[in-house]
Amino acid sequence: MGQQEKVATSLAGTVSEEISASLTAVDAELARRYPGDPGTRQPVHTVYVPGDVFEPGTLRSWGDQALAALDEHAPDAASFAAVLGIPEELAGPVHDRVRAKLEHEPVEDLRIDFEDGYGPRPDAEEDEAAARAARLVSEAYANGTAAPYMGIRMKCMEAGVRDRGIRTTDVFLTGLMEAGGLPDGLVLTLPKVTYPEQVTAFVRLLEAFEKAHGLDAGRLGFEIQIETSQSILAADGTAAVARMIDAAEGRATGLHYGTFDYSACVGVSAAYQASDHPAADHAKAVMQVAAAGTGVRVSDGSTNVLPVGPTDRVHEAWRLHYGLTRRALARAYYQGWDMHPGHLPTRYAAVYAFYREGLEPAAARLAAYVAKAGGDVMDEPATAKALSGYLLRGIDCGALDTAEVARLTGLTRADLDAFASPRRGDLTVTAP
């Protein structure tokens, strides 16, 4: 031990108190606007099915069709890996987990569509379809056949369809209440939002419903679908999407990019409308920055190239979808939209390969951080947060097992949760 240093200060204690007092409002604003990630599971995709097509067996049908596509076009691990370029050492684990996923939980998030996928219908017909959707969703949660997340996409808040969208939302939510209440996995998606005032209007609608049924304030949240250029850059030059998050008054849970509506809005011709177009990259980058720290998650869009037809055509569509999904994951868009059962094999293959190939490096870095062992990367708390979030997302979707993560990191699920969403104060790490 060296000589003990003399500690001296020059400022009175009141200086610190006065500075803290001057920042009280800022502290409160930071806590309100940027609470951080909610720490809940984020689905890897959203599947949407038109309101008149959804049936009690829809989820199982999608899984069975996906399995049939695998059996026909890539019947074993080696052939599936060869099509997608998956490394040989991951071929077996990825293939086995994809099949298991399709057998037990083929869809993580389902949206029953009453917007573009459903179109304009007579009011009585849409009323009936919305009431039927509520009944089927309630039954699915009651009998254990539901996806982890389910809900509807209603028509938007534009004048021509506003009343219809409000009524469909009311019919659906009322049906759920009469069938036993709102399920925990309920998700609502508001499409084609252009102005923050449309978000505010939807908030008022949900508030009115909560009051009518005696629900807790804020019980109903919703996703905002970004499908117009005005939702990214407003007429005054500001990022409208950031104002939309604020207009949601804490109810926004996600921002979903609408590939084809947005592309068309900015003039991209049909042949080039894709989630990797520069216009799409710009929109999603703005969405990502606007949502950072708010607890609102960002979702990529979809591809309309369907894996149907002869095997060579299916393989081509699979490679495209796999590549787009991997590209999105690398850019921290951990969710996307799938339009066909044939997209499920490549959605899960891309997700599982992404997490399994990074498992050991991520686990080693996190374990070294916890042990303060150093290594060839000098990690900081923010990186530990990212590493934990990566492992948790892998566990949640079925790419990784809790036991193997615990073995490699020495951490429990609770430890990972604490690193991913650290609270004030010291972090206590327990043995697995």
Side-chain angles (χ1 to χ4, degrees), residues 148-161:
Y149 301 94
M150 298 181 73
I152 65 168
R153 179 172 72 169
M154 67 292 297
K155 290 178 173 64
C156 70
M157 282 290 170
E158 293 178 356
V161 295

Side-chain angles (χ1 to χ4, degrees), residues 20 23-32 424:
S20 293
L23 292 174
T24 299
V26 171
D27 294 340
E29 186 77 348
L30 281 170
R32 182 182 72 83
R424 293 182 182 180

Side-chain angles (χ1 to χ4, degrees), residues 30 38 60 70 77 107 161 173 205 268 303 379 393 407 418 424:
L30 281 170
R60 186 62 265 149
L70 271 179
V107 175
V161 295
L173 294 176
L205 169 64
V268 179
T303 175
D379 285 324
R393 285 189 292 271
R407 175 176 55 81
R424 293 182 182 180

